[in-house]
DNA sequence: AGACAGCTTATTGTATACAAACGCCATTCG
DNA sequence: CGAATGGCGTTTGTATACAATAAGCTGTCT
């Protein structure tokens, strides 16, 4: 999309991600337009897009609100993501090219370097991880599947998950990716799908654990 | 959405479904605006929406075209639909209320009446079928899943599938629905998911068979 | 006091004018 | 002759003004 529209979309999205726009709060088109330095037209486009991505919700009289995520919503998104990624892995196992496989190996190598450093390089981990999954999706060769996966992957809470991984989880990710690559080598769709299911579900588990700890800490702080 | 915008959306969508707008053809905003009797603004909204639903595709320079479906795309959509509906069935089996179950039974009863008449009432079959699946989706209680399923169910080719069922397939649908209801009664998610997978895959098989027959006939006509 | 009607204000929806981008075609230069 | 370039027409993007709708408020009537 064009410049103003893109700018508005990215701006609003990042304001939601950063919490600058609080979950549940109403957002008005004109206010956003001023914040983004564009007119209402591109803002409206962005809001429609963010609405389909479930970042934004509209009430019965067309007013927009930042979506307020419950733990159930999150579980839901992860469940769907696990299913879709497993499906993608199965398809990829049957279709992946030598070149794509080589690129996935490379991305996983980069990922390993990022976590083998004296201090883990989390941004680099996230980037390699993203590229790994993107290449897998390319190998799965289903535009529709790719679109759907974006919808469940680009959620605020999911985006923050990787940052909450401890070192052990980072290494596990690397090993799971490795196993995935072996499954691909063997063109074993069932294996690939199973590894991927476990991979995503572990990610959810790691998040939920960190989250519940957070919640407990927050409760403790409030009590004090 | 509001009146003009809705009107434009439905109008354009139905023109695509009816073939009035040919697959692959370019569509210009202003032309559509005139056809719908509205300005470009609501037309643009509609195009964005139809684009996320993959009815419309845009090239790299933002021009819009009616999506042109390949058999692979179709297979893809059915595969995803089978997976998502099975997931929905599994969730529904664990959550469905007495009321929802009663409504599903009722819809399936209506469906039976539609096909037991001396001449099957296909529109009524389609409507009961739709309500049956909608109630299942309600029982599955995942807004995100519902949105995704819409995306793969509302496709032109899929919408036409039901019309291509022969009488035997109509009856099979009824029986599969019945089995699903028994699985729900027993709160057996695995069973429900398996029945649903078979249900959707049979639908695809029926479509593919009719389609290939069509194609063969067309080829024969061209050869003659 | 409570409820409801009518007015006022806030917010979104639509139309339209203008700006920008892009494709196409012709023309020119190597 | 072919490729590059520049202008023209077409199509989409953006801004803005105005219309429609919904929410909130106030005052009145019961």
């Amino acid at each position: 999309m064009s410049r103003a529209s893109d700018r508005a979309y990215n701006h609003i999205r990042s304001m939601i991600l950063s919490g600058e726009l609080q979950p549940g709060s109403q957002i008005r088109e004109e206010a956003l337009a001023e914040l983004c330095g564009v007119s209402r037209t591109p803002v409206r486009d962005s809001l429609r897009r963010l609405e389909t991505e479930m970042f934004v919700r509209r009430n019965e009289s067309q007013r927009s609100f930042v979506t307020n995520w419950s733990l159930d919503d999150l579980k839901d998104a992860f469940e769907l993501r696990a299913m879709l990624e497993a499906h993608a892995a199965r398809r990829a196992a049957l279709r992946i090219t030598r070149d794509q496989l080589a690129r996935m190996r490379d991305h996983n190598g980069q990922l390993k370097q990022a976590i083998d450093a004296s201090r883990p390089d989390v941004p680099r981990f996230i980037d390699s991880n993203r590229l790994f999954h993107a290449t897998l999706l390319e190998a799965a060769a289903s535009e529709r599947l790719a679109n759907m996966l974006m919808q469940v992957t680009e959620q605020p809470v999911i985006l923050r998950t990787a940052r909450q991984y401890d070192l052990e989880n980072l290494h596990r990710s690397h090993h799971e990716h490795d196993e995935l690559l072996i499954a691909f080598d063997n063109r074993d769709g069932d294996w690939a799908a199973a590894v991927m299911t476990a991979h995503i579900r572990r990610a959810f588990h790691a998040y939920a654990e960190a989250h519940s700890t957070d919640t407990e800490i927050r409760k403790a702080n409030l009590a004090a």
Side-chain angles (χ1 to χ4, degrees), chain A:
Chain A
M1 203 164 282
S2 50
R3 204 169 109 258
S5 209
D6 265 340
R7 204 146 53 92
Y9 173 79
N10 289 320
H11 196 149
I12 298 170
R13 184 168 170 279
S14 76
M15 284 193 295
I16 292 175
L17 285 170
S18 72
E20 196 172 338
L21 294 176
Q22 289 192 347
S25 65
Q26 182 173 353
I27 47 188
R28 292 174 312 108
E29 293 174 357
E30 200 166 349
L32 291 176
E34 276 180 30
L35 282 169
C36 301
V38 299
S39 82
R40 270 179 57 212
T41 310
V43 168
R44 284 173 65 78
D45 277 1
S46 304
L47 284 182
R48 297 280 149 82
R49 205 167 141 197
L50 291 163
E51 192 190 347
T52 73
E53 291 166 0
M54 292 185 78
F55 280 103
V56 165
R57 173 177 303 272
R58 306 178 82 178
N59 70 6
E60 62 287 346
S61 57
Q62 306 302 83
R63 271 129 174 102
S64 300
F65 299 82
V66 178
T67 301
N68 201 351
W69 296 89
S70 71
L71 187 63
D72 271 353
D73 293 331
L74 177 61
K75 201 177 163 192
D76 223 54
F78 261 104
E79 235 180 45
L80 282 168
R81 187 182 168 202
M83 186 171 60
L84 292 169
E85 292 257 24
H87 185 62
R90 184 188 303 277
R91 287 179 60 101
L94 306 175
R95 291 158 217 262
I96 196 164
T97 65
R98 290 199 160 282
D99 173 62
Q100 287 165 337
L101 196 49
R103 272 152 54 211
M104 287 185 73
R105 273 192 234 284
D106 185 51
H107 295 319
N108 203 35
Q110 295 283 327
L111 186 149
K112 185 172 168 56
Q113 282 181 33
I115 58 180
D116 272 349
S118 59
R119 192 107 70 117
D121 183 348
V122 175
R124 192 174 161 203
F125 168 88
I126 292 177
D127 202 51
S128 304
N129 188 59
R130 189 179 53 73
L131 289 169
F132 184 91
H133 284 269
T135 309
L136 188 153
L137 214 48
E138 180 192 321
S142 166
E143 193 184 336
R144 188 179 288 281
L145 177 58
N147 287 342
M148 285 189 168
L149 257 171
M150 284 228 266
Q151 282 180 33
V152 286
T153 305
E154 298 272 310
Q155 295 313 316
V157 278
I158 292 180
L159 283 174
R160 287 182 231 203
T161 306
R163 305 182 186 281
Q164 309 204 358
Y165 277 8
D166 55 27
L167 197 57
E168 189 193 335
N169 270 306
L170 295 176
H171 280 288
R172 281 198 186 166
S173 280
H174 169 65
H175 289 311
E176 283 160 359
H177 285 183
D178 256 352
E179 191 176 346
L180 209 45
L181 291 171
I182 302 172
F184 282 179
D185 246 346
N186 288 279
R187 297 287 185 270
D188 188 333
D190 287 344
W191 188 7
V195 172
M196 184 57 96
T197 301
H199 182 55
I200 304 295
R201 294 190 94 94
R202 183 182 54 72
F204 173 63
H205 180 74
Y207 172 82
E209 205 151 85
H211 180 79
S212 69
T213 306
D214 273 8
T215 306
E216 276 157 29
I217 291 170
R218 217 176 304 130
K219 275 182 191 160
N221 286 340
L222 284 174

